[in-house]
Amino acid sequence: MEQVPAVQGSSERAVAAAAYAVLVVLGLVMGVVGAFQHSWYVWPVPVSAMGCVLVLFAVCYGAGRAMKGKLAALAPAVGWLVITMLWLTDRPEGDVVIANDLSGYVYLYGGLAALLTGIVLSPAAHGGSWLLTRHSYGSGHSEPR
């Protein structure tokens, strides 16, 4: 029987941890770029805010599908949320990055909805739907009798 070296398991965990770190950094970068570029309009429509929302959904959902888990979808969402909450705080000068206008609302609330949708639609780590899978509670069997 062939022995699997312990290094292989730890290297896989290191690669996974690095991937999650990169996804968090990607979320931070999307938060910085989106906050400063969300207010481009084509007539009365905030097209760049809607584009940022679509990119947020695509990154969260794509990360969850690619890494087969909701944690991967949550990683860029956390990065985006952290930097976006920093941009929403008032400064002593009175300046804010995300303004109180239509594009700011689309970017903020649409981004939150996109993150939530991307996370919920991502597959669960065990392969099934996290909502529809039967779970055993306690020491009994999970199948009905």
Side-chain angles (χ1 to χ4, degrees), residues 4 7 14 16 26 32 35 39 42-43 46 53 59 82-84 101 114 125 132-133 137 142:
V4 177
V7 176
L26 177 62
V32 170
S39 59
V42 173
W43 293 335
V53 168
V59 167
V82 165
I83 200 72
T84 301
D101 63 353
L132 302 176
T133 303
Y137 299 103
S142 63

Side-chain angles (χ1 to χ4, degrees), residues 6 80 126 131:
W80 184 83
H126 56 79
L131 185 61

